[in-house]
Amino acid sequence: LSEEVIASGSITLDTTPPTGTIQIHNHVDTDLSLINDTILSLTLTQADEHLERGAMRFALDGQADSNWTSWEDLKDTKTLPIDSLTDGRHTLYYQIKDKAGNLSEALSASFTLDTAPPTGTIEIVNHLSITNQRLLPLTLTAQDTLSDVSEMAFSLDGITFETPIRFTTDTTYQLPELEGNYVIYIKFKDEAGN
């Protein structure tokens, strides 16, 4: 054999998996409590020496192969439609693949999807049907299956509502000075914004 080098090649051995982070709606905590959007706005990071041709993928509510999306080019932000999800607790998984084929651990962020508005009732205290007092005492009930009721707003026409105030079960409502028959409408808002 000749001692002369005929050809040479170089290769980089990379066995280190990439790392990264995921945020939903720019929420720093990976346990986002409530959302009412059907599109997730994701902020993503990736760290690895060999990511120039890396890829990423996502899975909702489980890491089985059938749950993962197809691999796509790395990005720092992404919108992900979730309109087929039912209300309730969900976990989004995010995985990164580097140029060498190393996979990151499945990074995750959890959230509770709540798209249903709260329901409730309004009752005039003592079931009054006529009064000579403009300040009307009311008892309210309101409930939501996934979050607490946070605000309420009143209206006399069911169209134009007053500025929302913090929800409470016992309150008063100021009737107009003009005598007449009035219907008091109320709408409730939950912590998710419904």
Side-chain angles (χ1 to χ4, degrees), residues 130-151:
I130 190 168
T131 184
N132 63 357
Q133 302 295 312
R134 288 184 53 219
L135 195 58
L136 193 59
L138 303 173
T139 299
L140 310 172
T141 61
Q143 55 278 334
D144 188 85
T145 56
L146 294 171
S147 62
D148 292 332
V149 177
S150 59
E151 294 180 354

Side-chain angles (χ1 to χ4, degrees), residues 38-63:
T38 55
I39 296 179
L40 296 179
S41 295
L42 307 177
T43 302
L44 310 163
T45 65
Q46 312 89 23
D48 189 274
E49 284 185 51
H50 305 103
L51 281 176
E52 61 269 6
R53 280 187 254 151
M56 63 183 183
R57 65 181 182 169
F58 302 90
L60 273 165
D61 297 332
Q63 299 179 55

Side-chain angles (χ1 to χ4, degrees), residues 15-114:
T15 60
T16 304
T19 59
T21 62
I22 181 172
Q23 294 178 357
I24 299 174
H25 298 305
N26 289 322
H27 198 276
V28 176
D29 190 357
T30 57
D31 185 10
L32 181 63
S33 53
L34 292 167
I35 64 168
N36 66 356
D37 298 326
T38 55
I39 296 179
L40 296 179
S41 295
L42 307 177
T43 302
L44 310 163
T45 65
Q46 312 89 23
D48 189 274
E49 284 185 51
H50 305 103
L51 281 176
E52 61 269 6
R53 280 187 254 151
M56 63 183 183
R57 65 181 182 169
F58 302 90
L60 273 165
D61 297 332
Q63 299 179 55
D65 286 341
S66 62
N67 287 358
W68 288 101
T69 62
S70 300
W71 289 102
E72 59 186 273
D73 291 340
L74 290 173
K75 298 176 189 154
D76 294 332
T77 60
K78 178 172 178 63
T79 57
L80 189 66
I82 57 168
D83 48 354
S84 62
L85 288 182
T86 58
D87 280 5
R89 191 80 176 148
H90 299 280
T91 300
L92 175 66
Y93 296 93
Y94 163 56
Q95 192 170 43
I96 307 161
K97 179 170 61 173
D98 67 14
K99 182 179 177 181
N102 298 308
L103 299 180
S104 70
E105 64 176 295
L107 307 160
S108 66
S110 297
F111 61 94
T112 299
L113 180 63
D114 179 1

